[in-house]
Amino acid sequence: MDLPESLQFLLFLAIFPLVGAAIGWLTNRLAIQMLFRPRRPVRLAGLTFQGLIPRRQSDLAVRVAGIVETELFNQHLIQEEIRKIDFQPHIDQLARNLIRERLAPKLRQIPLFGNLVNESFLVSLNRMVRDSLARETEPLLQRVSSEVEKKIAVRRIVEERIHAFDLDQLESIVRTLAHREFRSIEILGAVIGFAVGLVQAGLLLLMQ
């Protein structure tokens, strides 16, 4: 059964927003795919095509490493974090181990002097050792943390790790982190394409 011309015309107009939505979605999806593919440079009609991330992996590594070093790891961050650690319980335990498990048995073996090694003596000796260790802890931590900062080259480590990423692994990480955003971009492309199609259909309708 043939449809009336007016209905055929309306159906024809309906194609515009549908096609526009399909083109908008497909275009954005293709743009997202081109972030990662082609993996290797492909020459076509005198032009070279390669995915943005594979092409810029080295530059990406340098930039991310710089951001991590300057924004996330300031000059004395490692020192500050090390100095936040409460070493006092470890100092107390170390003093007890030194006095009661190592030194006391040897002192008790000394003729005559061994009889003087009682609980009161060990407590006093433990306190002296503990206080001495506590006084040395702060300068030692300062030296150790300074050496750690010198040895740990944050920029170099991050840059080397990103350089070493397999492209499939890198794509998986990016897609995992930006899955919702990529999906929103695809949907937005369909919405914009649909809106453009409506405008085209409206203009055509006005012309009629």
Side-chain angles (χ1 to χ4, degrees):
M1 183 178 63
D2 293 335
L3 297 174
E5 290 187 6
S6 59
L7 183 57
Q8 290 181 14
F9 183 67
L10 290 176
L11 290 176
F12 172 71
L13 293 179
I15 294 175
F16 283 86
L18 295 177
V19 172
I23 292 174
W25 176 82
L26 185 61
T27 301
N28 282 12
R29 184 171 179 82
L30 181 61
I32 292 172
Q33 292 295 327
M34 290 179 66
L35 289 173
F36 310 100
R37 291 181 176 79
R39 293 274 196 259
R40 299 183 180 279
V42 175
R43 292 189 63 83
L44 183 64
L47 299 175
T48 302
F49 298 93
Q50 187 181 12
L52 178 63
I53 290 179
R55 187 174 71 248
R56 300 285 301 277
Q57 184 174 6
S58 296
D59 184 54
L60 180 65
V62 172
R63 289 176 178 272
V64 171
I67 292 173
V68 170
E69 184 182 56
T70 57
E71 302 297 333
L72 301 182
F73 279 85
N74 59 45
Q75 185 177 3
H76 300 298
L77 178 62
I78 296 177
Q79 289 191 38
E80 293 171 0
E81 292 301 317
I82 291 177
R83 296 178 68 175
K84 287 179 183 178
I85 301 174
D86 182 12
F87 285 94
Q88 192 59 47
H90 304 286
I91 293 173
D92 293 342
Q93 183 63 43
L94 176 61
R96 283 193 297 270
N97 291 342
L98 287 174
I99 299 303
R100 296 186 177 277
E101 296 180 9
R102 298 186 182 183
L103 187 59
K106 294 180 180 180
L107 291 176
R108 289 192 176 104
Q109 293 175 3
I110 299 175
L112 300 178
F113 182 77
N115 295 329
L116 301 176
V117 183
N118 53 28
E119 183 63 24
S120 177
F121 176 81
L122 292 178
V123 169
S124 299
L125 187 59
N126 182 84
R127 185 182 303 111
M128 292 172 57
V129 171
R130 183 190 62 195
D131 294 343
S132 178
L133 288 174
R135 285 193 298 272
E136 294 297 326
T137 299
E138 183 65 24
L140 179 61
L141 283 179
Q142 184 67 33
R143 292 194 297 271
V144 170
S145 58
S146 297
E147 287 299 316
V148 169
E149 282 192 342
K150 292 178 183 178
K151 298 294 183 182
I152 297 181
V154 176
R155 180 189 290 265
R156 178 182 57 80
I157 292 172
V158 174
E159 189 173 334
E160 289 177 354
R161 290 295 179 89
I162 296 178
H163 270 300
F165 269 151
D166 178 76
L167 288 175
D168 289 331
Q169 182 183 11
L170 187 58
E171 178 180 352
S172 176
I173 291 173
V174 174
R175 286 189 178 276
T176 299
L177 292 175
H179 173 73
R180 292 183 178 180
E181 288 75 13
F182 286 164
R183 187 64 176 167
S184 298
I185 291 172
E186 293 176 4
I187 294 174
L188 182 61
V191 171
I192 293 175
F194 187 83
V196 171
L198 283 178
V199 172
Q200 291 174 332
L203 291 175
L204 187 59
L205 183 61
L206 290 174
M207 292 173 61
Q208 294 294 321

